[in-house]
Amino acid sequence: MIKKESFKKIKRYSLIVLIFLIFALINTYPLIKHLTTHQLGDGGDGTEFMWDLWWMKKSLTNLQNPYYTDYLFYPNGSYLYLHTLIPFTGTISIPLQYLFGNLILVYNIFGNLILVYNIIAIINLILAGFSMFLLAFYLTKNKFASIIAGYIFTFSPYMIGHTLGHLNLMLIWPIPLFILFFIKFHYEQSFKNMFFPIFFLILLTLDSLYYGVFMLLFSFIYECFFLLKKFNIKRNYILKLFGIFLIYLLILSPLFLGILSSIFSRKYVGNWDTDYWSADIFTLFIPGTLAKSKMLFENANWWQRIMTNSHAGAENQNFLGYTVLILSIIGFITEFKKRKNKNAKNFYLGFWLILACVGIVFSLGTQLKFLGYIFNVKLPYYYIYKIFPLVSVPGRFILLTIISLSILSAIGITNLSEYLSKKAKYLFYSIIFLLIF
């Protein structure tokens, strides 16, 4: 019986992975026709990440410290603690690099490393959709709503923007898995539910300090809600919770010490303007420069001004989508009404709402941007950034909002479908997907 159930689960999950493979190939088309000759993206930062893949292979196979190289700023060399190195992705790319051949430089094209980069990018998209499916399904028990949640999360304008060349920021698939096991930990403090939050948080932090910070912020907000709901907290729970983050800090302490050393030595190049890289309020509600529907706005001076002053290229593709917003509102309202039923899950609705709001407010940066103009109005992130100057591109905080809206949309779809017959449900799911797609 157990083997039969396991086989069914593997079969179901394989189908979900296949679905997101198809979605990934469609959303990156025509990449599939040029996997070995054209790198996914706009030819900008992506070449830097191909260098990262090559350097991780060279340094690790030669037993060198990957966080130092004399291939840059020769002959003095440079530490890479503040560089966007991708240790996790680079390490798992090594077998692929051996499989497809060594680095070949021909006319500024990285030979078979292009294929390695493209494969990793597509796998990241597939796993992102699948992992959000797992999280949404855990909360809603509705597989169709969960597939749509996975699509919202994976192919949001935010992610499409970063496929232009930010391989580090494409590693979002550990995020739903961290959240899933972190939520499970609050109900069962098993070894598995302690190990996996640590594991996925480490993976995220290694390839993107941004995502490490985001998940620490997520954890703080979730913990506040949990402690407010549960008054009788056991000492064992507190110790294990503390243990999760202590182990995380200890394991990554060499990295954090290297980062601090590089910062205090001031031996680094580059400076980020948080105002320049923050979002305009209107970028949340109007299509960005990569959206097909931008044709409705692109000739308007105010739209051009907003996109220019928000540096809307790979960054600040913050459009949340009208269908997603409506579904999220429906999800919140319908689930809130269920609170009268003590047996109904409320998913910590207040938490998901607060998380969405935090993502929006922080993405606006330190000063208010409205219709492309910057006003001398200091926003909450101004004061936070003065104390913790960790996220210098605040527009990326919108990912927290996308996570929240993905879950709330799944809840909304699930609740709406309860009023429909079986045949009507499939039509309903199809219409919703077409509206989002």
Side-chain angles (χ1 to χ4, degrees), residues 45-78:
D45 291 344
T47 52
E48 174 190 323
F49 288 104
M50 282 204 294
W51 184 90
D52 286 352
L53 298 178
W54 168 80
W55 171 245
M56 285 302 300
K57 173 177 176 280
K58 182 171 180 61
S59 61
L60 293 179
T61 54
N62 288 285
L63 303 180
Q64 295 175 254
N65 176 11
Y67 283 99
Y68 176 82
T69 181
D70 59 3
Y71 280 75
L72 301 175
F73 300 104
Y74 182 84
N76 297 321
S78 175

Side-chain angles (χ1 to χ4, degrees), residues 46 52 55 138 145 161 194 214 255 262 330 342 364 398-399:
D52 286 352
W55 171 245
Y138 172 75
M194 286 188 66
F214 292 174
L255 172 61
S262 297
I330 291 172
K342 293 182 179 180
L364 299 178
I398 202 64
L399 181 60

Side-chain angles (χ1 to χ4, degrees), residues 287-319:
T289 55
L290 301 180
K292 293 179 181 178
S293 53
K294 71 177 183 179
M295 64 182 69
L296 300 174
F297 305 94
E298 61 183 346
N299 292 325
N301 291 332
W302 58 269
W303 185 88
Q304 296 174 6
R305 185 172 61 248
I306 289 170
M307 297 304 149
T308 300
N309 290 342
S310 296
H311 194 64
E315 303 290 349
N316 285 328
Q317 297 293 335
N318 300 325
F319 181 48

Side-chain angles (χ1 to χ4, degrees), residues 156-183:
S156 65
Y158 169 89
M159 267 299 289
I160 296 300
H162 289 302
T163 59
L164 292 180
H166 295 163
L167 192 60
N168 59 333
L169 299 177
M170 289 181 66
L171 187 80
I172 59 171
W173 61 263
I175 291 176
L177 296 177
F178 167 80
I179 294 172
L180 173 61
F181 285 101
F182 188 70
I183 291 175

Side-chain angles (χ1 to χ4, degrees), residues 353-419:
L353 180 62
I354 292 295
L355 184 69
C357 292
V358 167
I360 289 173
V361 171
F362 282 13
S363 73
L364 299 178
T366 55
Q367 288 186 297
L368 179 64
K369 280 185 181 180
F370 188 81
L371 276 175
Y373 297 108
I374 300 178
F375 296 87
N376 190 24
V377 177
K378 291 181 173 57
L379 299 176
Y381 191 65
Y382 171 85
Y383 303 99
I384 294 172
Y385 190 73
K386 288 187 72 173
I387 302 171
F388 302 107
L390 297 175
V391 178
S392 53
V393 187
R396 294 175 182 175
F397 272 110
I398 202 64
L399 181 60
L400 294 175
T401 304
I402 294 167
I403 294 168
S404 178
L405 296 186
S406 299
I407 297 300
L408 288 173
S409 293
I411 295 171
I413 293 168
T414 300
N415 290 343
L416 287 174
S417 66
E418 291 176 356
Y419 298 99

Side-chain angles (χ1 to χ4, degrees), residues 4 31 42 63 91 111 120 138 174 241 270 302 373 388:
K4 189 176 181 181
L31 179 66
D42 60 3
L63 303 180
T91 301
I120 290 173
Y138 172 75
L241 177 67
W302 58 269
Y373 297 108
F388 302 107

